[in-house]
Amino acid sequence: MTPIQPKLILHGGASSLADKGGLESVRHSLHDIVQEVYQLLENGGTAVDAVVLGCQRLEDEPRFNAGTGSVLQSDGQVRMSASLMDGITQTFSGVINVSRVKNPIELAKFLQTQSDRILSDLGSSELARELQMPIYDPLTEFRALEWIEEWKDNFQSKMGRLIAQPSPEARRGTIGVVALDSQGNIAAGTSTGGKGLERIGRVSDSAMPAGNYANPHAGVSCTGIGEDIVNECLAARIVIRVTDGLSLPDAMEKSMKESQTNQRDFGAIALDHTGVLSWGKTCEIILAAYHNGATIGDTLEWDPHELMGYCR
Ligand code: ASP
């Protein structure tokens, strides 16, 4: 079989973001990570390995709301969720509300081969101990101070900030990676600290097929209000539309139009087995970057009124 041109798309959240200075530093981080992960794909790495590496790098970057730098929940604790889907085996695995680990995506990766593949809080922490993962506190000073401000304000905000920098416009966030490898296999991964300030026990879309899904035809990772993503079953909806014969840009556009009518607030990144990359949003901005085999591009200054875009 002739090797396929690998493709990669990743995101650092969806939201509104007025601060241009902030955009430049976000662009820098996203492009660096795209570059590193694409190299792995070019060297013959699998889509699953690329997704895991990309998620690890994004989780380790404190500016994004996943892993280190996750937002705090209403009780001032960090609880993270992550999932991984291998498109070729169509296997979904994930952890929900795990604490005190550095890279929740590593637990999702381990669970790919297990008979119990989605673990919630206690079970995922037990697994981390069983795997002898070092205890790690993902709390950053910025997030602690942000929570204290909210506490002083009697929790008037509904959620935490997208990007860890002082901009009142910067809300929400999550990270995600979708890759197509040189064998034509697709994988998708998503990792989050949640919405921030949520009720204890709230379950994010990021470790559900609504927020992260892949099969041999396409893969999708979502970000935005998890409840809205679940209501549209967004990731699985786009993937199934492609599976049933719609082109990826048409599937993205149709899903975003419906979501806009339903007043949803989110974004998604996607790719298909033919190598088309796509992104869509009903919110103002999606912080996505991609490598199409020729160049690195991003969606950071993309028209806030456009519902979707794509490239090959
Ligand atoms: N989807 C995530 C959640 O609701 C948050 C986000 O993507 O901004 O937990």
Side-chain angles (χ1 to χ4, degrees):
M1 184 178 118
T2 16
I4 289 163
Q5 177 75 60
K7 301 279 170 126
L8 176 69
I9 185 161
L10 50 81
H11 71 79
S15 181
S16 61
L17 188 68
D19 175 5
K20 294 277 180 201
L23 278 187
E24 271 319 305
S25 53
V26 169
R27 174 173 284 135
H28 198 92
S29 302
L30 293 178
H31 284 215
D32 275 0
I33 296 170
V34 164
Q35 182 84 47
E36 182 185 348
V37 177
Y38 195 77
Q39 194 130 41
L40 182 145
L41 286 167
E42 264 192 323
N43 293 338
T46 67
V48 164
D49 286 347
V51 165
V52 171
L53 176 66
C55 288
Q56 281 168 335
R57 291 291 181 267
L58 289 158
E59 285 174 342
D60 291 345
E61 170 57 79
R63 78 175 70 246
F64 299 122
N65 170 25
T68 305
S70 287
V71 292
L72 307 190
Q73 299 198 340
S74 54
D75 61 343
Q77 299 298 311
V78 172
R79 295 185 188 86
M80 302 165 288
S81 300
S83 70
L84 175 65
M85 186 147 188
D86 181 340
I88 232 34
T89 59
Q90 262 186 261
T91 308
F92 184 96
S93 58
V95 287
I96 296 170
N97 287 328
V98 66
S99 329
R100 303 205 164 256
V101 294
K102 186 160 185 269
N103 294 109
I105 195 70
E106 284 174 14
L107 288 168
K109 169 86 195 305
F110 175 82
L111 288 166
Q112 276 281 306
T113 55
Q114 305 299 299
S115 50
D116 299 329
R117 283 192 293 275
I118 309 172
L119 299 184
S120 65
D121 41 21
L122 178 61
S124 41
S125 299
E126 289 273 311
L127 176 65
R129 301 294 83 83
E130 208 178 295
L131 297 174
Q132 301 189 331
M133 285 185 173
I135 291 182
Y136 178 83
D137 187 355
L139 179 65
T140 59
E141 189 184 353
F142 180 90
R143 294 302 188 188
L145 294 174
E146 182 184 63
W147 187 85
I148 288 167
E149 283 307 309
E150 297 293 347
W151 171 73
K152 281 193 202 149
D153 205 24
N154 203 21
F155 298 105
Q156 292 303 306
S157 297
K158 298 238 168 3
M159 58 186 71
R161 283 186 182 141
L162 165 67
I163 296 295
Q165 64 198 15
S167 158
E169 300 295 328
R171 299 268 161 204
R172 298 192 298 282
T174 275
I175 65 91
V177 183
V178 189
L180 170 73
D181 66 28
S182 56
Q183 301 300 305
N185 299 333
I186 294 172
T190 305
S191 181
T192 190
K195 286 194 296 189
L197 309 178
E198 61 268 74
R199 183 184 276 272
I200 303 170
R202 182 252 181 190
V203 174
S204 164
D205 63 289
S206 300
M208 292 187 197
N212 189 69
Y213 199 73
N215 74 6
H217 299 269
V220 176
S221 166
C222 303
T223 174
I225 306 280
E227 286 70 7
D228 284 1
I229 294 168
V230 170
N231 286 348
E232 295 294 324
C233 202
L234 188 64
R237 188 188 197 105
I238 297 169
V239 169
I240 298 309
R241 282 187 159 148
V242 175
T243 308
D244 287 348
L246 226 53
S247 71
L248 177 59
D250 286 350
M252 183 66 85
E253 189 171 22
K254 190 170 166 55
S255 306
M256 288 299 156
K257 276 190 178 152
E258 290 165 350
S259 303
Q260 194 178 44
T261 306
N262 294 337
Q263 297 184 311
R264 308 301 190 198
D265 185 1
F266 50 52
I269 57 167
L271 55 72
D272 74 9
H273 71 286
T274 69
V276 174
L277 297 158
S278 182
W279 50 91
K281 57 173 181 57
T282 55
C283 55
E284 216 171 282
I285 191 169
I286 178 154
L287 305 175
Y290 55 84
H291 201 313
N292 64 1
T295 50
I296 294 181
D298 66 58
T299 63
L300 270 52
E301 277 161 294
W302 173 46
D303 184 346
H305 304 295
E306 289 285 327
L307 275 183
M308 59 78 61
Y310 69 97
C311 73
R312 187 165 268 288

